Amino acid sequence: MPSVSGLVNVVLMVLMWMGGCQASPLRAVCDPRVLERFIREARDTEAAMRSCGGSCAVTSVYTVPLTNVDFTDWEQKDIEGQVAEVQVGLSLLVQALVAVRKTVSVSPISSLLDSNIINIQSLIHIIHSLSSQAQPLTYLEQSAQTHTHSPSELLHAQTNFLRGKVKLLLSAACRTLGS
Amino acid sequence: MTSDRGSVLMICALFLAAVACRGHTFDKKVAQLLREEPENIKCFAERMRDLTCFWEEGESRNSSLHQYTFTYTYQYRNENSSACEVFEMPMLAARGRRLFYSRLPRIEFFAQLHLCVFRGGRELYNRSLFIDQVFLLDPPANVTVVKTGQRGQLNVTWLPPALKYMDDSMMYEVRYAMEGNPMRKETVKATTKLTLRGLQSSSKYKVFVRVKPDGITYNGYWSAWSDPAFGTTPPSDLDPVIVVLVLVIILIFFLLILFVLVYHRKSLLKKLWPDIPSPEHKFPGLFSVYKGDFQEWLGHSNSSTRPIHAFTEELPSPLEVLSETSLAAPLPNHLSPPRPATTPRATGLLREDSDTTEQGEEPLQSRDMDAGLLDRWKEPPHTHWLMEQLRALQKHPQALSQSSLLESQDTYVTLNQNSQHAKEEGRQEDDILEESLPLQALFASGDTSLSAASHSDLGSLQQSSGSGRLSSQSSFEYPNHTWPPKGPGYTYMAVADSGVSMDYSPMSSSMGKGVVYANEYILGHRRPLSGQQVHS
């Protein structure tokens, strides 16, 4: 599983490095199976951490993005706002995942976390290509984040963020690309 | 705060009114979840805009509706929960239970939701869930079944739920069956059409479809089955290519059989319709020249074609044992002692005396005789006398009857090799006496036996030879006869075949003139033998 995910990420990165059309890396992720695999792997890590209990990682305060989606509000946002919100959220997630990864020594969870980190980084690069404006990654929308105190909640936030906002944004972008 | 609470309550009321108008579909979903969902606060999202939650209570509780409070809050919001008005549904009244429900006016996905039910200020039920995980959609609409044009196939299409952002997250289950047959199911994802294969031709099928989120991004319960759609498969028709190929194969097979029959017709005819054996080749010229007139053929045939004379059926010929001493030249083979007259039925072929006598030593051979057993029969010098004797016997057949025992129809001529070397004078009379004995005294069933004289085939020849006893061929017809042994001094050589058999007995010198008898068997044991006395 991790090897396939890594291969997909490498392919995405190669496509991005090749430059050219900004939609090239997006085309790869527009295959619904790609994001589905990211979501499944996030769920696998969440389930592994839950079964491990609290002994697998150090409890700490992690800043995570808000995952709730009100479709009415979401549709009222423009694409730039959606992109910015997703970019910030992915940045927060990858930082938190890296911090948890440093405290985990158990082999299955560590490898799963590695896959999750790679997946998030791939998505950051892909979504960055959707924005016409250069958004600094350090930009944070205060209302779009929260704090969590356990690795399990962090991983839960990752799953929900990918299922929600990331998928909505990419679905809309891919629909626009296809049309 | 009070205004906010009031607005929320109003919104709840409006949604409830909408729910009331929905009626039947809503009741069905509630009934479904009552069966499937174990949690007591049962919730489902029908679309992207609302969430319906309900719970059931026992009838025993005479609680007022207003005693119940339903609250909800999202986990990410660190604020107080919001309340929603509670309503009661009468659908469970017949079962003695009460059903209450509430509806959230505005929902958020991908965030954890906490729900609580209070009765009289005391928490009754609570539950945490994600709204995107409890979808209970309407069944697919416009299910259509059409023929594909191919045998045993039907195309099923339907409309997806009209939900934004969820069109690529659906999975469908199609159920179909012929009338009275068990249902078959197939599941498809992210598509709204399915081709049913392997169906029976000319059959009517009933098809149902239901929908559910695929569980990756969204999840929920299987919807109710859609209204049935019917389709009839096309009749089976033979592919013209297959028909042509089958005809070609049949034609090739037929031609192959015909070729085999024509090529092997002769051997097949021989096996299926064998020729009846004909003795024509044994009698050259009998049918082609003499038109089957056997007497004529006998009369005109020469010695080269017929090695033996043929007897006429009407003239039984007696046999006499020729004395050895009466013969000028010692003969290795001698004819048998006299025999009684044969029946008129007896026929035989005798060796021609005159020709063989003139030729001197001439092997007793016929086509039917084995030369290995017969010694060269030397013609006695008195062949003309023999012929005269034979003719006389033919004219007076009564004189031939000497032994009643020879009614057995078989005549044998015993051959006594030892008597050739025995001194004739001393034994002539004995020989005569012996030879005058009935034939049965001369013949003895012994070790040697004739065999195959009963062959009907003229071409077969069976011989037995040896010193000792000779068993009469007549045992085939008179099996009870036992022939007394002749004596150790006699050597019997019997040649029996279907055409010719020659038995030779020691010639009696006292007779003066030896008599050579030749007895022939014709056509097996059923034909009585006849002998012709030949005097040498």
Side-chain angles (χ1 to χ4, degrees):
Chain A
M1 289 288 191
S3 60
V4 176
S5 172
L7 182 63
V8 169
N9 294 326
V10 168
V11 169
L12 291 174
M13 286 184 177
V14 168
L15 290 172
M16 286 189 291
W17 289 337
M18 285 169 65
C21 179
Q22 286 183 350
S24 298
L26 186 61
R27 283 188 186 278
V29 81
C30 282
D31 185 344
R33 292 173 295 179
V34 174
L35 191 58
E36 280 182 17
R37 180 167 291 282
F38 292 173
I39 295 169
R40 287 180 197 274
E41 289 179 352
R43 277 203 175 121
D44 294 341
T45 311
E46 186 184 343
M49 187 67 74
R50 196 164 43 242
S51 64
C52 176
S55 60
C56 296
V58 176
T59 303
S60 178
V61 177
Y62 305 102
T63 305
V64 294
L66 292 176
T67 59
N68 60 300
V69 174
D70 187 328
F71 284 104
T72 307
D73 293 340
W74 180 263
E75 289 171 355
Q76 290 175 354
K77 283 184 184 175
D78 59 358
I79 188 67
E80 298 297 332
Q82 293 175 359
V83 170
E85 188 168 348
V86 170
Q87 273 187 309
V88 171
L90 290 174
S91 308
L92 293 172
L93 280 173
V94 75
Q95 290 174 21
L97 287 171
V98 170
V100 171
R101 173 66 181 89
K102 289 177 183 176
T103 65
V104 172
S105 58
V106 181
S107 174
I109 297 177
S110 59
S111 60
L112 288 169
L113 282 171
D114 290 336
S115 299
N116 297 151
I117 290 168
I118 293 172
N119 297 342
I120 299 293
Q121 287 172 342
S122 303
L123 288 171
I124 289 172
H125 288 294
I126 292 169
I127 291 171
H128 181 74
S129 66
L130 296 176
S131 173
S132 61
Q133 298 177 11
Q135 296 283 350
L137 293 177
T138 56
Y139 172 78
L140 294 174
E141 186 175 346
Q142 298 297 325
S143 60
Q145 60 182 302
T146 185
H147 299 281
T148 179
H149 298 279
S150 71
S152 295
E153 290 180 9
L154 163 63
L155 296 172
H156 196 56
Q158 177 195 205
T159 305
N160 295 330
F161 194 74
L162 291 174
R163 291 192 301 121
K165 293 179 180 178
V166 174
K167 188 170 190 300
L168 284 170
L169 178 64
L170 291 177
S171 298
C174 292
R175 204 176 297 119
T176 307
L177 190 67
S179 61
Chain B
M1 189 68 178
T2 308
S3 61
D4 291 336
R5 196 176 179 86
S7 61
V8 167
L9 287 172
M10 187 173 67
I11 293 169
C12 286
L14 286 171
F15 274 104
L16 287 172
V19 166
C21 293
R22 203 122 24 98
H24 181 67
T25 305
F26 180 78
D27 290 349
K28 285 176 68 177
K29 289 182 179 178
V30 168
Q32 177 182 343
L33 278 187
L34 282 172
R35 294 188 302 267
E36 296 180 13
E37 180 58 61
E39 296 272 355
N40 204 0
I41 301 180
K42 306 176 199 302
C43 298
F44 62 93
E46 293 179 279
R47 293 167 189 83
M48 309 294 283
R49 309 289 181 186
D50 52 70
L51 178 71
T52 304
C53 294
F54 60 92
W55 62 96
E56 54 180 335
E57 284 285 298
E59 181 65 36
S60 58
R61 290 278 181 186
N62 291 327
S63 305
S64 169
L65 179 62
H66 300 287
Q67 289 182 331
Y68 291 93
T69 306
F70 177 77
T71 63
Y72 66 94
T73 183
Y74 290 98
Q75 184 180 357
Y76 73 94
R77 292 179 184 178
N78 293 323
E79 59 186 25
N80 294 336
S81 58
S82 304
C84 203
E85 191 166 355
V86 178
F87 301 92
E88 186 172 0
M89 290 177 66
M91 65 183 296
L92 297 182
R95 284 195 276 171
R97 299 186 69 79
R98 300 174 71 181
L99 186 68
F100 304 96
Y101 68 94
S102 183
R103 199 171 186 92
L104 272 68
R106 194 161 174 170
I107 56 175
E108 293 182 15
F109 294 86
F110 311 108
Q112 193 161 23
L113 178 67
H114 294 297
L115 303 170
C116 282
V117 173
F118 294 90
R119 185 179 63 209
R122 191 163 59 90
E123 184 178 294
L124 198 59
Y125 307 111
N126 68 76
R127 184 183 173 186
S128 294
L129 55 86
F130 282 82
I131 298 174
D132 49 270
Q133 303 292 307
V134 291
F135 275 99
L136 180 54
L137 306 170
D138 292 335
N142 278 26
V143 179
T144 311
V145 183
V146 295
K147 298 185 182 69
T148 65
Q150 302 223 0
R151 190 162 56 95
Q153 290 186 7
L154 286 174
N155 247 355
V156 183
T157 56
W158 57 89
L159 290 179
L163 295 175
K164 204 174 177 181
Y165 312 116
M166 288 180 68
D167 48 357
D168 59 346
S169 301
M170 298 296 179
M171 61 188 294
Y172 303 91
E173 189 174 34
V174 179
R175 187 177 68 169
Y176 58 98
M178 224 164 48
E179 192 73 29
N181 284 21
M183 283 284 182
R184 292 158 64 176
K185 292 182 182 178
E186 284 196 40
T187 304
V188 291
K189 287 182 70 173
T191 179
T192 57
K193 57 183 177 182
L194 174 67
T195 301
L196 305 177
R197 301 174 200 275
L199 307 178
Q200 287 189 20
S201 303
S202 305
S203 302
K204 189 176 182 182
Y205 280 84
K206 187 160 57 172
V207 181
F208 302 88
V209 184
R210 65 179 181 178
V211 64
K212 172 183 169 297
D214 63 1
I216 306 299
T217 305
Y218 304 97
N219 208 347
Y221 311 93
W222 278 110
S223 70
W225 290 105
S226 65
D227 293 332
F230 296 91
T232 305
T233 48
S236 62
D237 50 355
L238 291 174
D239 191 356
V241 175
I242 293 174
V243 172
V244 168
L245 286 175
V246 168
L247 287 175
V248 167
I249 289 168
I250 290 171
L251 185 66
I252 291 170
F253 189 66
F254 177 73
L255 288 173
L256 201 65
I257 291 173
L258 197 65
F259 176 75
V260 168
L261 286 174
V262 168
Y263 191 74
H264 296 285
R265 64 180 183 280
K266 286 185 181 174
S267 60
L268 284 173
L269 276 174
K270 263 189 185 176
K271 285 183 184 174
L272 295 174
W273 201 267
D275 293 333
I276 299 171
S278 171
E280 195 172 332
H281 64 283
K282 300 288 184 184
F283 303 91
L286 172 61
F287 296 99
S288 58
V289 178
Y290 300 98
K291 306 291 189 271
D293 190 340
F294 192 68
Q295 287 188 6
E296 221 176 294
W297 180 77
L298 281 176
H300 289 86
S301 63
N302 52 20
S303 60
S304 62
T305 56
R306 289 186 298 115
I308 51 179
H309 290 286
F311 281 109
T312 56
E313 293 187 8
E314 300 78 12
L315 301 173
S317 304
L319 291 175
E320 292 182 9
V321 176
L322 295 177
S323 170
E324 184 183 38
T325 56
S326 64
L327 294 176
L331 298 175
N333 299 323
H334 300 273
L335 294 177
S336 65
R339 300 194 180 194
T342 58
T343 60
R345 290 191 298 129
T347 59
L349 295 175
L350 274 183
R351 194 177 301 279
E352 188 175 15
D353 295 323
S354 60
D355 294 337
T356 54
T357 305
E358 290 173 357
Q359 294 173 8
E361 290 190 357
E362 182 173 320
L364 272 175
Q365 289 183 354
S366 68
R367 259 184 320 148
D368 306 324
M369 298 172 65
D370 187 1
L373 284 181
L374 294 176
D375 295 332
R376 279 201 160 192
W377 183 53
K378 296 182 180 178
E379 283 286 342
H382 308 289
T383 52
H384 291 292
W385 179 83
L386 279 173
M387 290 303 295
E388 289 177 3
Q389 292 296 320
L390 284 172
R391 289 196 191 95
L393 286 171
Q394 288 178 3
K395 289 176 183 175
H396 304 286
Q398 298 79 3
L400 300 178
S401 58
Q402 296 186 18
S403 170
S404 61
L405 292 177
L406 285 180
E407 293 172 357
S408 64
Q409 313 291 337
D410 295 327
T411 56
Y412 284 82
V413 177
T414 61
L415 173 64
N416 190 353
Q417 292 183 356
N418 294 334
S419 63
Q420 295 179 14
H421 306 287
K423 296 306 133 252
E424 304 81 358
E425 291 75 11
R427 295 187 58 183
Q428 284 179 3
E429 294 186 354
D430 295 337
D431 292 338
I432 289 172
L433 289 175
E434 291 175 353
E435 289 158 358
S436 64
L437 285 176
L439 277 178
Q440 69 271 20
L442 299 175
F443 292 91
S445 59
D447 299 334
T448 59
S449 59
L450 285 176
S451 60
S454 59
H455 281 249
S456 59
D457 187 0
L458 295 175
S460 68
L461 171 69
Q462 290 194 6
Q463 306 148 1
S464 62
S465 65
S467 61
R469 308 300 177 215
L470 179 69
S471 62
S472 168
Q473 179 81 24
S474 65
S475 61
F476 286 96
E477 290 188 356
Y478 302 93
N480 294 327
H481 278 227
T482 56
W483 302 97
K486 170 94 172 127
Y490 278 89
T491 300
Y492 298 88
M493 175 185 293
V495 176
D497 67 342
S498 58
V500 175
S501 71
M502 297 282 285
D503 290 339
Y504 297 93
S505 65
M507 308 292 268
S508 171
S509 60
S510 62
M511 290 181 65
K513 297 178 178 178
V515 178
V516 178
Y517 290 89
N519 297 316
E520 315 297 340
Y521 287 91
I522 297 178
L523 298 179
H525 64 283
R526 293 188 178 272
R527 291 288 194 95
L529 296 175
S530 62
Q532 188 172 11
Q533 179 178 340
V534 177
H535 294 274
S536 60

